[in-house]
Amino acid sequence: MSLSEKSIAIVYHSPYGHTAKVASFIAQGAQQAGVQVHSMNIEQIDWDILDRSDAIVFGCPTYMGNLTSGLKLFMEQSSKRWLARAWQGKVAAGFTNGGGLSGDKLAVLQQINLFAMQHGMLWAGLPMMPTGRSGQDLNRMSSFLGLMTQSDNAPVEITPPQGDLNTALWFGEYLGLLLNKFK
Ligand SMILES: Cc1cc2nc3c(=O)[nH]c(=O)nc-3n(C[C@H](O)[C@H](O)[C@H](O)COP(=O)(O)O)c2cc1C
């Protein structure tokens, strides 16, 4: 990694692979913006990489309108860093995948946002106007706090729909371009 190259870590929990698929599109988008990406499943966290990253993107499925316990455990495990203000000033963003159209996904993004604010991070939302409601459309969930995708509880091979994945790609590229604006 060159000294000027920015890096993004993506931390996700994904028991059935949909959220992981979304994470991979965010990663692709960030790479397109020339940013180094470290993608981490919640079961294999590299804390040193997180400490060195310029941005951390957090994601998990929506479970009963909440975070999954996997992401929550990770959050609690970060408490020493919270105390030391170790992540203060890093960019943060969030994403969640749900089976339902609403499914109360907003509550998950709000919890991720609060967590990032507790750490003193700089929140980056999803500044993209929705383009429609079909599976091909961008930001069809009309979410601005972070990225929402939806999988209908269908197999990971066919969901989330392409529009959601393209939104994830766009989000990753946006985050990469944003980081590149920082000295
Ligand atoms: C225990 C449980 C609770 C769930 N609750 C919700 C919910 O509140 N809202 C929603 O939209 N989907 C809900 N779902 C569907 C999951 O969000 C969906 O299957 C998940 O995003 C798949 O992610 P993954 O493939 O990354 O594991 C729930 C699924 C489970 C297993």
Coordinates of all heavy atoms in Angstrom, one line a residue, residues 12-21 60-66 96-105 149-154 156, ligand 1:
Y12 N -18.8 -7.4 8.3 CA -20.2 -7.8 8.0 C -20.5 -9.2 8.7 O -19.6 -10.0 8.9 CB -20.5 -7.9 6.5 CG -19.7 -9.0 5.8 CD1 -20.1 -10.3 5.8 CD2 -18.5 -8.7 5.2 CE1 -19.4 -11.3 5.1 CE2 -17.7 -9.6 4.6 CZ -18.2 -10.9 4.6 OH -17.4 -11.9 3.9
H13 N -21.7 -9.3 9.0 CA -22.2 -10.6 9.5 C -23.2 -11.1 8.5 O -24.1 -10.4 8.0 CB -22.9 -10.4 10.9 CG -23.4 -11.7 11.5 ND1 -24.6 -11.8 12.3 CD2 -22.9 -13.0 11.5 CE1 -24.7 -13.0 12.7 NE2 -23.7 -13.8 12.2
S14 N -23.1 -12.4 8.1 CA -24.0 -12.9 7.0 C -24.2 -14.4 7.1 O -23.5 -15.1 6.3 CB -23.4 -12.5 5.7 OG -24.2 -12.8 4.6
P15 N -25.1 -14.9 8.0 CA -25.2 -16.3 8.1 C -25.6 -17.0 6.8 O -25.1 -18.1 6.5 CB -26.3 -16.5 9.1 CG -26.3 -15.2 9.9 CD -25.8 -14.1 9.0
Y16 N -26.4 -16.4 5.9 CA -26.8 -17.0 4.7 C -26.3 -16.4 3.4 O -26.8 -16.7 2.3 CB -28.4 -17.1 4.6 CG -28.9 -18.0 5.8 CD1 -29.4 -17.4 6.9 CD2 -28.9 -19.4 5.6 CE1 -29.8 -18.2 8.0 CE2 -29.3 -20.2 6.7 CZ -29.8 -19.6 7.8 OH -30.3 -20.4 8.9
G17 N -25.4 -15.5 3.5 CA -24.6 -15.0 2.3 C -25.2 -13.8 1.6 O -24.5 -13.2 0.8
H18 N -26.4 -13.3 1.9 CA -26.9 -12.2 1.2 C -26.2 -10.9 1.5 O -25.8 -10.1 0.6 CB -28.4 -12.0 1.4 CG -29.3 -13.1 1.0 ND1 -29.4 -14.2 1.8 CD2 -30.0 -13.3 0.0 CE1 -30.2 -15.1 1.2 NE2 -30.6 -14.6 0.1
T19 N -25.9 -10.7 2.8 CA -25.2 -9.5 3.2 C -23.8 -9.5 2.8 O -23.2 -8.5 2.4 CB -25.3 -9.4 4.8 OG1 -26.7 -9.6 5.2 CG2 -24.8 -8.0 5.3
A20 N -23.2 -10.7 2.7 CA -21.8 -10.9 2.2 C -21.8 -10.5 0.7 O -20.8 -9.9 0.3 CB -21.4 -12.3 2.4
K21 N -22.8 -10.9 0.0 CA -22.9 -10.5 -1.4 C -22.9 -9.0 -1.6 O -22.2 -8.4 -2.4 CB -24.1 -11.2 -2.1 CG -24.2 -11.1 -3.6 CD -25.4 -11.9 -4.0 CE -25.7 -11.9 -5.5 NZ -26.9 -12.7 -5.9
C60 N -25.0 -5.9 8.6 CA -25.6 -7.2 9.0 C -27.0 -7.3 8.5 O -27.6 -6.3 8.1 CB -25.5 -7.3 10.6 SG -26.7 -6.2 11.4
P61 N -27.6 -8.5 8.6 CA -29.0 -8.6 8.2 C -29.8 -8.0 9.3 O -29.4 -7.7 10.4 CB -29.2 -10.2 8.3 CG -27.9 -10.8 8.3 CD -26.9 -9.8 8.9
T62 N -31.1 -7.7 8.9 CA -32.0 -7.2 9.9 C -32.7 -8.4 10.5 O -33.3 -9.2 9.8 CB -33.1 -6.3 9.2 OG1 -32.4 -5.2 8.6 CG2 -34.1 -5.8 10.2
Y63 N -32.6 -8.5 11.8 CA -33.3 -9.6 12.6 C -34.3 -9.0 13.5 O -33.9 -8.3 14.5 CB -32.2 -10.3 13.4 CG -31.5 -11.5 12.6 CD1 -31.7 -11.6 11.2 CD2 -30.7 -12.4 13.3 CE1 -31.0 -12.7 10.6 CE2 -30.1 -13.4 12.7 CZ -30.2 -13.5 11.3 OH -29.6 -14.6 10.6
M64 N -35.6 -9.2 13.3 CA -36.6 -8.7 14.1 C -36.4 -7.2 14.4 O -36.5 -6.7 15.6 CB -36.7 -9.5 15.4 CG -37.3 -10.9 15.1 SD -37.3 -12.0 16.5 CE -35.7 -12.6 16.5
G65 N -36.1 -6.4 13.4 CA -36.0 -5.0 13.5 C -34.7 -4.6 14.3 O -34.6 -3.5 14.7
N66 N -33.8 -5.5 14.4 CA -32.6 -5.2 15.2 C -31.3 -5.6 14.5 O -31.4 -6.4 13.4 CB -32.7 -6.0 16.5 CG -33.3 -5.2 17.6 OD1 -32.6 -4.4 18.2 ND2 -34.6 -5.5 17.8
T96 N -27.6 -2.8 5.6 CA -28.3 -3.9 6.1 C -29.2 -4.5 5.0 O -29.7 -3.8 4.1 CB -29.2 -3.6 7.3 OG1 -29.8 -4.8 7.9 CG2 -30.3 -2.6 7.0
N97 N -29.3 -5.8 5.1 CA -30.2 -6.6 4.2 C -31.3 -7.2 5.0 O -31.1 -7.7 6.1 CB -29.4 -7.7 3.5 CG -30.2 -8.4 2.4 OD1 -30.4 -7.9 1.3 ND2 -30.8 -9.6 2.8
G98 N -32.5 -7.1 4.4 CA -33.7 -7.6 5.1 C -34.5 -8.5 4.1 O -34.4 -8.3 2.9
G99 N -35.3 -9.3 4.6 CA -36.2 -10.1 3.8 C -37.4 -9.3 3.4 O -37.9 -9.4 2.2
G100 N -37.9 -8.4 4.2 CA -39.1 -7.6 4.0 C -38.8 -6.3 3.3 O -37.7 -5.9 3.3
L101 N -39.9 -5.8 2.7 CA -39.7 -4.5 2.0 C -39.2 -3.4 2.9 O -38.3 -2.7 2.7 CB -41.0 -4.1 1.3 CG -41.0 -4.4 -0.3 CD1 -42.3 -3.8 -0.8 CD2 -39.8 -3.8 -1.0
S102 N -40.0 -3.2 4.0 CA -39.5 -2.4 5.1 C -38.7 -3.3 6.0 O -37.5 -3.1 6.1 CB -40.7 -1.7 5.8 OG -40.2 -1.3 7.1
G103 N -39.4 -4.2 6.7 CA -38.7 -5.1 7.6 C -38.0 -4.4 8.8 O -37.2 -4.9 9.5
D104 N -38.3 -3.1 8.9 CA -37.7 -2.2 10.0 C -36.2 -2.1 9.8 O -35.5 -2.0 10.8 CB -38.1 -2.7 11.3 CG -39.6 -2.5 11.6 OD1 -40.2 -1.5 11.1 OD2 -40.3 -3.4 12.2
K105 N -35.7 -2.1 8.6 CA -34.3 -2.0 8.3 C -33.7 -0.7 8.9 O -32.5 -0.6 9.3 CB -34.0 -2.1 6.8 CG -34.2 -3.5 6.3 CD -33.7 -3.6 4.8 CE -34.7 -3.0 3.8 NZ -36.0 -3.7 3.8
T149 N -30.7 -3.1 1.4 CA -31.0 -4.1 0.3 C -32.1 -5.1 0.8 O -32.2 -5.2 2.0 CB -29.8 -4.8 -0.2 OG1 -29.1 -5.4 0.9 CG2 -28.8 -3.8 -0.8
Q150 N -32.7 -5.8 -0.2 CA -33.8 -6.7 0.2 C -33.7 -7.9 -0.6 O -33.5 -7.9 -1.8 CB -35.1 -5.9 0.0 CG -36.3 -6.6 0.5 CD -37.3 -6.9 -0.6 OE1 -37.2 -6.4 -1.7 NE2 -38.3 -7.8 -0.3
S151 N -34.0 -9.0 0.1 CA -33.8 -10.3 -0.5 C -35.0 -11.3 -0.5 O -34.9 -12.4 -1.0 CB -32.6 -11.1 0.1 OG -32.9 -11.2 1.5
D152 N -36.2 -10.8 0.0 CA -37.4 -11.6 -0.1 C -37.2 -13.0 0.5 O -38.0 -13.9 0.1 CB -37.7 -11.8 -1.6 CG -38.7 -10.8 -2.0 OD1 -39.4 -10.2 -1.2 OD2 -38.8 -10.5 -3.3
N153 N -36.2 -13.3 1.3 CA -35.9 -14.6 1.8 C -35.8 -15.6 0.6 O -36.0 -16.8 0.8 CB -37.0 -15.1 2.7 CG -37.1 -14.2 4.0 OD1 -36.0 -13.7 4.4 ND2 -38.3 -14.0 4.5
A154 N -35.3 -15.2 -0.5 CA -35.1 -16.0 -1.7 C -33.6 -16.4 -1.7 O -32.8 -15.7 -1.0 CB -35.4 -15.3 -3.0
V156 N -29.6 -16.9 -2.3 CA -28.6 -15.8 -2.5 C -28.2 -15.8 -4.0 O -27.7 -14.7 -4.4 CB -27.4 -16.1 -1.6 CG1 -26.6 -17.4 -1.9 CG2 -26.5 -14.9 -1.5
Ligands
LIG1 C1 -34.4 -14.5 13.2 C2 -34.6 -13.7 12.0 C3 -35.3 -12.5 12.0 C4 -35.5 -11.8 10.9 N1 -36.1 -10.6 11.0 C5 -36.3 -9.8 9.9 C6 -36.8 -8.5 10.0 O1 -37.2 -8.0 11.1 N2 -36.9 -7.7 8.9 C7 -36.6 -8.2 7.7 O2 -36.7 -7.5 6.7 N3 -36.1 -9.5 7.6 C8 -35.9 -10.2 8.6 N4 -35.3 -11.5 8.5 C9 -34.8 -11.9 7.2 C10 -33.3 -11.6 7.1 O3 -33.1 -10.2 7.3 C11 -32.7 -12.1 5.8 O4 -33.0 -13.4 5.6 C12 -31.3 -11.8 5.9 O5 -31.0 -10.4 5.5 C13 -30.4 -12.7 5.1 O6 -29.1 -12.2 5.3 P1 -27.8 -13.2 5.2 O7 -28.1 -14.1 4.0 O8 -26.7 -12.3 5.0 O9 -27.8 -14.0 6.4 C14 -35.1 -12.3 9.6 C15 -34.5 -13.5 9.6 C16 -34.2 -14.2 10.7 C17 -33.5 -15.6 10.6

